[in-house]
Each structure stands twice: as structure tokens, then as C-alpha cells.
């Protein structure tokens, strides 16, 4: 059996949570493979809205097991809050969720370091989510991290060493925390670790490979997006993990030849939160209109998302890096009232046409080259089949498919589970 991967092709918030939930009934296991509570994945059904951060978006569907893989970084306190909210809404979470021993723990001092690093960067700050993601992955790579499995292996000594290291780093940054406040944070963190102990904490690489050998179907859920990938995103304005398909292999312990379909998900336009280059960003009324109609505010932080037209140069790059076999287009309904819709097909850099995503994007010298298509000026959100969609919208879909060279198999026309059109 092969595993399928669903991941974001833009700068995150493409609608991964919604579609993973819709696809889950066809799978036995849904697994997160990277990222942490910097993610905010929104699901809507039966008139209710839920936001997931570390727990996979398969958790609401009956039957499927959910797995937090070893490539994920876990904040016990935020995890407890998230899990308890799910329990309160009737999800039997301890039965449906397994967590990898290899997941790295986000310590209270990692969050303090995240804030201190951002402060030190001043105007060049990344605009992180402040969840301690960068410092936790830094500790992992520098071989100083603490893993969930360490709970059962001399944990107190390892914790004290990590925390003392962090305190000396904070001191060097002039950001030493108040001892009483730190003690409170640590107490709450330790309590949350106790809560975590009741979960099935496993060797996820063995588990998932056994499941595959038994013929079980696995869907991997990405967090963030390709343009935030640590290696291929708009560095240094990126997150600290591999958000691309390769990250599913390292984050779960599955070999590259076990990867099946790769679902690449994108919005009919483009958004970005935090700092960093964004070639098609709109600073005008159209950008504001997209933000208002699309409710483009962070699911977790509430931050305003920057909005712009769809960027096919960046999308083609993402499709190449991920080996996308199927595309999913989200939020076309947000463009319903537009007279015309634009798509960036190339960049002009210093007067020259550039078709491939470049090493660095200097916004002052880059001009997007757009193709303009007529708007469809109809309400898409009530459509349930592809056939009933307006002709002009279908022409837009056909244009994108031709440009991108991959079929668009799912179209989402509203936030609810039901507002999803499957073409296969
Ligand atoms: P994720 O991080 O990729 O899971 O995406 P987010 O949940 O952060 O952001 C997507 C937002 O768009 C959420 O508020 C969703 O409820 C909403 N959404 C998802 N699909 C659609 C759609 O097709 N149309 C509209 N209007 N909203 C959508
Ligand atoms: P989902 O999974 C959008 C952005 C932050 C910042 C950069 C680094 O919901 O799509 P970090 O806290 O990871 O060190 O921040 O990455 N970022 C996201 N943007 N969606 C996300 O997740 C994001 N997770 C991180 O805004 O620019
Ligand atoms: Mg999100």
C-alpha cells in the first residue's frame, strides 16, 4: 500500500484542514508529519467551526486513526487545550490518537526564545507565530532537543539541561525571564505533560509501516505551505521544517517509494501572513476586498493575511518540488463578484521575463506579468456538481489546468464540508 499526501502549495492557510476532513472517510489513518501549533486548520460542519493546531484533521470522522508523527513539534500545554476542547465536543480522543515518541517537545523557554529572537531581528523579523517553532527545530538539529519518548528516559536531567541552556541564551539576548513567571509556566507545562502520558505514545515508523503492509490506507496532512519550506521557501521568511512531500518521508519514517498520490492544495488567489516576499501582493481595494470576503485573518493569531492574485510561477515550482499528481482549488467563491480575475504567469525582473521561481525575490525590481480573465459573476457556493458551475468559471479552471499541467480534481466553494465538488 502507498500513502497519499495532502499539502499546501502556497504560503499556508490554503484550506488543508477542510479537505483532509472531507477525504478522511476513504482512509484508515490520517497523520501529521511536520510543523506544530503554528498551524491553524479550520473545519466546518453541522453549523460549527473547529480549529486544529497539532491534532490531524481526520479526528472528527468515525473510524480513522490519527497520528502525530515524529517530525512534529509538540507543545504539551497547547496540546492539552486542543485535546480537551475536542473531548468536550464529544470526540473520544485518547482512543483515536497516537503520538510518536520522536516528536520534539516545545519547552516554555522555546517560546521565550522565539520572542527574543524576533525582537533581536528588529525590522528584519520573520513575523513568526510566536509558538517556539524555530528554537525547537534548532535544538533538534543541533542535537539538544527533548523528545516525547524522553518522558520515559531520565527526563528531569534532560529537561534541566535544556532549560538552563535556554536561560543563558535568553540572558545573552537581554531577555532573561522573571523567575516567578517562568516557574508558573514550567508548572503548567509539567501538568500538561502528565495529561499527555495517557495517550498511546508509539514508535511511529514501525507502526505506520506495519499498517501499510496490512493494506491500510494512510493520508498525510501537511502544515504550512511549500513557500514556507525551510529549504525551498522564501528563506529566511519561512518556517523551520520541510513542508514538502519529502517531509512526509522523514517526518513519519516512510520510504520515498511508498508515496502514492500527492494532493496539492491552493487558493484561487494567494495569501501570506508574516513578513517576506509576496510577488503578487495587492495593496489596493481589490486586495482589501479579497481579505474581507475571504475572511483572511489568521485562524490562531487573528493576524491580517496579506492578499494577492494567484501566482502560477510559484505554483509550478511547488508542483515540481512535491510531485503533485492532483490539484485541489479552494475558495473560488471569494472571487464571485470580481469583474475580472488575474493570474500571474511570469515575472519581469530588471526588464527580463522570468518563468521559474528565482533564488531571491527582490520586490522592488520584480513585476508580475498577468493574464486577465473575465469574472464569472455568479454565486458558486451553492453548486454541488461540476456541471452546474458557470461556463466562465470552467474556462478559468481549464486555463489553470493547462498552465499547471495537473488536473484539478476537487473544487471547494465554501468553508463547509458539504461545499466541496469532487470531479473524479
Ligand atoms: P489551513 O491552515 O490550510 O487548514 O487553512 P485555514 O483553516 O487556516 O484557512 C482556510 C480558511 O478558509 C478557513 O477559515 C476555512 O474555513 C475557509 N475555507 C476553506 N475552504 C473554503 C472555501 O472554499 N471557500 C471559502 N469561502 N472559505 C473556505
Ligand atoms: P497552516 O498550517 C500560514 C508563517 C508565520 C511566519 C513564518 C514562520 O495553518 O497553513 P513560525 O511560527 O512557523 O516560525 O513562523 O511562517 N506560518 C504560517 N503561515 N499558515 C501557517 O500554518 C503557518 N505557520 C507558520 O506567519 O511568517
Ligand atoms: Mg491555517
Amino acid at each position: 500500500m502507498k500513502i497519499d499526501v495532502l499539502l499546501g502549495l502556497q504560503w499556508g492557510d490554503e484550506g488543508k484542514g477542510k479537505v483532509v476532513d472531507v477525504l478522511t472517510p476513504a482512509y484508515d489513518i490520517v497523520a501529521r508529519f511536520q510543523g506544530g501549533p503554528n498551524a491553524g486548520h479550520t473545519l466546518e460542519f453541522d453549523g460549527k467551526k473547529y480549529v486544529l493546531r497539532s491534532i490531524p484533521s481526520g479526528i472528527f470522522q468515525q473510524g480513522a486513526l490519527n497520528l502525530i508523527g515524529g517530525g512534529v513539534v509538540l507543545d504539551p500545554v497547547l496540546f492539552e487545550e486542543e485535546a480537551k476542547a475536542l473531548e468536550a465536543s464529544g470526540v473520544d480522543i485518547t482512543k483515536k490518537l497516537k503520538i510518536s515518541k520522536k516528536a520534539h517537545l516545545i519547552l516554555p523557554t522555546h517560546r521565550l526564545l522565539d520572542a527574543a529572537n524576533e525582537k533581536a531581528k528588529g525590522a528584519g523579523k520573520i513575523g513568526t507565530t510566536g509558538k517556539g517553532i524555530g528554537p525547537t527545530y534548532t535544538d533538534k538539529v543541533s542535537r539538544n532537543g527533548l523528545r516525547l519518548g524522553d518522558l520515559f528516559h531520565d527526563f528531569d536531567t534532560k529537561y534541566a539541561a535544556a532549560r538552563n541552556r535556554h536561560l543563558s541564551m535568553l540572558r545573552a539576548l537581554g531577555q532573561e525571564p522573571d523567575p516567578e513567571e517562568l516557574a508558573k509556566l514550567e508548572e503548567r507545562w509539567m501538568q500538561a505533560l502528565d495529561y499527555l502520558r495517557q495517550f498511546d505514545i508509539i514508535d511511529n515508523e514501525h507502526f505506520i509501516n506495519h499498517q501499510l503492509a496490512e493494506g491500510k490506507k494512510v493520508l498525510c496532512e501537511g502544515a504550512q505551505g511549500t513557500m514556507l519550506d525551510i529549504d525551498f521557501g522564501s528563506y529566511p521568511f519561512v518556517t523551520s521544517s520541510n513542508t514538502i512531500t519529502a517531509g512526509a518521508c522523514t517526518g513519519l519514517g516512510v520510504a520515498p517509494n511508498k508515496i502514492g498520490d500527492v494532493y496539492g492544495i491552493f487558493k484561487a488567489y494567494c495569501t501570506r501572513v508574516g513578513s517576506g516576499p509576496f510577488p503578487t501582493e495587492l495593496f489596493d481595494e481589490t486586495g482589501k476586498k479579497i481579505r474581507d470576503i475571504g475572511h483572511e485573518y489568521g485562524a490562531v493569531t487573528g493576524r491580517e493575511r496579506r492578499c494577492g492574485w494567484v501566482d502560477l510561477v510559484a505554483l509550478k515550482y511547488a508542483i515540481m518540488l512535491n510531485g503533485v499528481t492532483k490539484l485541489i482549488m479552494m475558495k473560488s467563491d471569494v472571487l464571485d463578484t470580481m469583474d475580472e480575475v488575474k493570474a500571474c504567469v511570469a515575472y519581469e525582473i530588471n526588464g527580463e521575463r522570468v518563468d521559474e521561481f528565482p533564488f531571491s525575490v527582490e520586490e522592488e525590481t520584480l513585476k508580475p506579468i498577468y493574464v486577465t480573465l473575465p469574472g464569472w459573476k455568479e454565486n458558486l457556493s451553492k453548486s454541488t456538481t461540476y456541471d452546474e458551475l458557470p461556463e466562465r468559471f470552467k474556462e478559468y479552471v481549464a486555463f489553470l489546468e493547462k498552465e499547471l499541467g495537473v488536473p484539478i480534481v476537487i473544487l471547494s466553494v465554501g468553508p463547509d464540508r458539504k461545499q466541496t465538488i469532487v470531479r473524479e
Side-chain angles (χ1 to χ4, degrees):
M1 233 23 217
K2 301 225 169 186
I3 65 173
D4 295 339
V5 183
L6 183 148
L7 41 72
L9 299 180
Q10 295 164 322
W11 279 275
D13 302 327
E14 296 89 351
K16 299 175 288 292
K18 168 182 165 163
V19 179
V20 169
D21 170 65
V22 169
L23 294 179
T24 296
Y27 290 90
D28 301 299
I29 299 171
V30 179
R32 274 279 302 271
F33 57 90
Q34 47 66 236
N38 47 349
H41 295 182
T42 316
L43 285 76
E44 274 189 50
F45 54 90
D46 300 338
K48 287 207 192 84
K49 182 168 156 173
Y50 304 87
V51 179
L52 296 169
R53 295 165 165 193
S54 303
I55 295 171
S57 302
I59 201 77
F60 290 101
Q61 300 280 13
Q62 296 301 321
L65 257 182
N66 289 261
L67 170 68
I68 296 180
V72 171
V73 292
L74 201 61
D75 181 327
V77 177
L78 294 179
F79 172 81
E80 182 181 338
E81 280 174 14
E82 189 180 341
K84 285 197 167 153
L86 287 175
E87 277 173 25
S89 54
V91 178
D92 193 353
I93 179 152
T94 43
K95 283 220 181 80
K96 292 174 73 176
L97 181 71
K98 294 181 187 294
I99 313 177
S100 171
K101 283 182 192 164
K102 290 196 169 67
H104 276 249
L105 290 170
I106 303 176
L107 274 53
T109 38
H110 279 134
R111 284 183 74 155
L112 300 177
L113 277 168
D114 194 353
N117 288 340
E118 283 284 89
K119 202 161 179 206
K121 277 182 181 271
K125 73 173 184 182
I126 291 162
T128 72
T129 58
K131 300 289 184 286
I133 305 299
T136 307
Y137 278 114
T138 303
D139 272 359
K140 170 178 176 171
V141 175
S142 70
R143 298 160 293 185
N144 288 299
L146 224 68
R147 298 180 293 176
L148 189 52
D150 287 324
L151 265 182
F152 315 105
H153 300 277
D154 198 13
F155 186 76
D156 292 344
T157 316
K158 288 176 187 163
Y159 175 78
R163 160 230 205 247
N164 292 339
R165 245 183 93 252
H166 295 162
L167 286 180
S168 53
M169 290 159 80
L170 286 164
R171 217 169 286 136
L173 289 162
Q175 301 288 328
E176 197 173 1
D178 172 65
E180 258 177 51
E181 295 211 339
L182 178 62
K184 267 193 227 150
L185 291 175
E186 288 184 289
E187 194 188 337
R188 175 75 194 90
W189 193 80
M190 293 292 175
Q191 279 170 358
L193 268 185
D194 277 339
Y195 173 79
L196 253 173
R197 282 173 194 268
Q198 67 182 302
F199 286 85
D200 203 5
I201 299 174
I202 62 162
D203 290 303
N204 107 237
E205 60 279 29
H206 294 299
F207 172 76
I208 205 143
N209 282 291
H210 288 317
Q211 296 289 312
L212 287 172
E214 282 173 22
K216 295 278 167 44
K217 291 197 76 188
V218 182
L219 178 64
C220 306
E221 172 180 4
Q224 291 76 58
T226 301
M227 302 313 287
L228 290 169
D229 179 86
I230 182 72
D231 285 299
F232 297 100
S234 45
Y235 192 88
F237 301 100
V238 294
T239 191
S240 296
S241 63
N242 278 118
T243 58
I244 55 174
T245 305
C249 296
T250 56
L252 291 168
V254 292
N257 63 0
K258 294 269 166 60
I259 301 289
D261 268 320
V262 178
Y263 289 96
I265 179 165
F266 69 102
K267 284 193 259 215
Y269 49 94
C270 210
T271 63
R272 167 160 211 172
V273 224
S275 334
F278 181 1
T280 59
E281 182 165 12
L282 291 167
F283 300 93
D284 58 3
E285 279 306 305
T286 308
K288 200 170 163 296
K289 191 170 164 188
I290 293 177
R291 178 156 53 244
D292 288 345
I293 300 176
H295 304 292
E296 292 297 352
Y297 297 89
V300 173
T301 56
R303 287 185 293 174
E304 234 179 47
R305 293 178 184 151
R306 299 154 64 191
C307 297
W309 293 118
V310 73
D311 182 342
L312 303 184
V313 181
L315 268 183
K316 282 181 200 168
Y317 183 61
I319 288 169
M320 173 185 81
L321 294 168
N322 289 303
V324 171
T325 58
K326 293 174 176 175
L327 286 168
I328 301 175
M329 180 157 76
M330 309 298 289
K331 299 190 89 158
S332 307
D333 54 295
V334 172
L335 305 182
D336 280 355
T337 58
M338 299 284 175
D339 293 327
E340 45 189 36
V341 174
K342 294 189 187 203
C344 167
V345 291
Y347 303 147
E348 189 187 301
I349 301 176
N350 294 323
E352 270 183 51
R353 184 187 165 105
V354 172
D355 293 292
E356 294 190 340
F357 199 80
F359 173 76
S360 105
V361 171
E362 318 284 342
E363 280 165 315
E364 310 79 58
T365 54
L366 183 147
K367 242 176 64 191
I369 301 173
Y370 288 112
V371 164
T372 304
L373 292 110
W376 42 92
K377 306 280 260 177
E378 278 183 53
N379 180 353
L380 300 182
S381 70
K382 301 269 187 295
S383 307
T384 52
T385 63
Y386 190 73
D387 287 346
E388 67 194 83
L389 289 166
E391 275 319 305
R392 262 189 285 179
F393 175 68
K394 287 187 196 158
E395 281 161 24
Y396 175 60
V397 173
F399 163 77
L400 292 175
E401 285 184 321
K402 189 160 175 281
E403 285 286 321
L404 299 171
V406 182
I408 299 176
V409 299
I410 297 174
L411 292 139
S412 171
V413 291
D416 193 89
R417 230 183 222 174
K418 294 204 182 95
Q419 292 170 301
T420 316
I421 298 169
V422 181
R423 280 173 88 192
E424 283 177 297

